Amino acid sequence: MDNKLLPINKFKKKNCLITYARGSEEDILEMLEHSELCKLNYAYCGDSKHTALMIVCDRGLKKAPLKILEYLELCELDAVNEHDVTAFMLACNNKLETVAIKMLKSFELCKLDQASRTHKYTALIIACNKKLETVAMKMLEYPELCKLDQVNYNGDTALMMACKKKLETVAMKMLEYPELCKLDQVNNNGDTSLIIAYAYHLVKVAFKIKKYNNQNRKVFPLYRENKCVICLDEVNCYICIPECKHFICMCKKCDTCELNKCTLCNNKIDHDTVISLSIN
């Protein structure tokens, strides 16, 4: 018997990888040894539209996607499913960093500007949300393709998400293209990128946003509805400590306050030198 027919006889399926891409990874890898029979570019239609690459990425498999990507010209990397999601987005969502990096070697096929239908996530927003710093930095080598101004269902941009996940290096890289970042975006919580950067103590990011704002004569609110972003109470209690450059609340009412030292690094506070960050 021809050895090339063994996978088909063993699985008793059509000679298409997608028919058992939901099986064990070992079976998938075995079938891929006979890639000419796998119909890697086949996709279900109708209620679902998935390629084999999408399925194995969605399952979080690590070896099978890398093997499929060896046949890049066959695997429909630019395919989009019924949720407007690509295989690259699924790889990011399942923290398949090695797979995502390999896909980015063919970045022009990854549809980096694609946004999901329901949550309005781009691959960059997903990568930031999953703290895939290496993937995000690699994507930002092509900033014009990343749709940095995309807003997700919560009103967040990729920059806001990077700040929330404390990816300072990624956020600083995004701010090399401030005109693409939609810095005046206000999310569903009433926060701007500047508010989020301050709230997560990303000093360099906050200063870079403020510098861009000042250069372009733009003023974005530091306080959410005229309240401190830390304690949501006093208006003028949010300060910068010059010695350590940390931002803390000084309302002396909330849990983050201590009278004479920084709550982040225990530096003593010289109350004569603190800098109010109010822009009112």
Side-chain angles (χ1 to χ4, degrees):
M1 183 184 294
D2 188 346
N3 287 336
K4 289 185 177 180
L5 297 179
L6 285 176
I8 301 173
N9 293 335
K10 176 179 178 180
F11 298 108
K12 297 180 180 180
K13 297 285 186 180
K14 295 179 181 179
N15 57 334
C16 173
L17 178 64
I18 200 169
T19 58
Y20 50 90
R22 301 187 188 280
S24 72
E25 188 163 30
E26 291 74 17
D27 287 347
I28 296 170
L29 291 171
E30 182 178 347
M31 184 63 178
L32 284 168
E33 293 300 322
H34 307 269
S35 61
E36 70 277 12
L37 303 176
C38 289
K39 293 185 180 178
L40 293 177
N41 60 346
Y42 178 83
Y44 283 137
C45 295
D47 292 336
S48 62
K49 186 173 64 175
H50 290 76
T51 62
L53 182 59
M54 287 180 185
I55 293 175
V56 294
C57 287
D58 195 27
R59 292 180 60 197
L61 302 183
K62 296 181 179 179
K63 295 180 181 179
L66 293 173
K67 187 66 177 178
I68 292 175
L69 286 168
E70 291 180 9
Y71 312 101
L72 185 62
E73 69 282 0
L74 300 176
C75 65
E76 296 287 334
L77 184 55
D78 58 351
V80 178
N81 70 13
E82 74 276 16
H83 302 296
D84 292 339
V85 171
T86 64
F88 180 65
M89 294 163 75
L90 291 169
C92 291
N93 193 53
N94 287 282
K95 297 184 178 182
L96 300 175
E97 185 173 34
T98 303
V99 175
I101 292 295
K102 186 167 184 176
M103 289 180 179
L104 283 171
K105 291 181 179 179
S106 304
F107 69 91
E108 68 280 1
L109 298 178
C110 290
K111 288 192 173 181
L112 300 183
D113 61 346
Q114 181 69 34
S116 61
R117 180 176 303 176
T118 304
H119 292 132
K120 307 300 180 184
Y121 275 40
T122 59
L124 183 58
I125 293 177
I126 295 171
C128 291
N129 187 41
K130 297 297 181 177
K131 295 185 176 182
L132 298 179
E133 183 171 350
T134 302
V135 175
M137 291 297 288
K138 186 67 177 177
M139 291 176 65
L140 287 169
E141 293 179 10
Y142 320 103
E144 301 84 2
L145 302 179
C146 290
K147 207 171 184 180
L148 282 165
D149 60 350
Q150 173 66 31
V151 176
N152 72 6
Y153 73 104
N154 192 47
D156 289 324
T157 62
L159 176 60
M160 290 175 170
M161 188 66 73
C163 291
K164 287 182 177 181
K165 299 301 178 177
K166 296 186 177 182
L167 299 177
E168 185 174 51
T169 303
V170 175
M172 291 296 285
K173 182 66 176 178
M174 291 180 186
L175 287 170
E176 292 181 11
Y177 318 99
E179 68 283 354
L180 301 179
C181 289
K182 204 169 186 178
L183 295 178
D184 58 348
Q185 172 65 22
V186 179
N187 68 14
N188 296 352
N189 296 323
D191 296 335
T192 62
S193 298
L194 182 59
I195 289 175
I196 296 171
Y198 278 136
Y200 287 90
H201 305 286
L202 300 181
V203 180
K204 294 180 180 178
V205 176
F207 279 2
K208 192 158 187 175
I209 294 174
K210 284 176 69 70
K211 182 178 179 180
Y212 175 78
N213 295 349
N214 292 337
Q215 289 174 344
N216 292 274
R217 297 183 179 181
K218 293 184 178 181
V219 177
F220 303 147
L222 172 60
Y223 300 100
R224 184 192 298 130
E225 297 177 353
N226 293 323
K227 296 179 181 179
C228 170
V229 294
I230 296 296
C231 68
L232 300 179
D233 187 8
E234 305 287 339
V235 174
N236 293 308
C237 57
Y238 202 51
I239 61 168
C240 173
I241 303 170
E243 290 78 13
C244 58
K245 304 302 182 185
H246 284 145
F247 299 92
I248 64 169
C249 178
M250 289 291 292
C251 70
K252 303 177 186 177
K253 299 177 183 178
C254 67
D255 294 336
T256 64
C257 290
E258 288 194 36
L259 186 57
N260 293 311
K261 64 180 181 179
C262 173
T263 54
L264 296 178
C265 64
N266 291 324
N267 266 3
K268 289 186 177 180
I269 298 174
D270 181 353
H271 290 277
D272 294 329
T273 62
V274 295
I275 305 171
S276 173
L277 293 178
S278 173
I279 60 173
N280 294 335

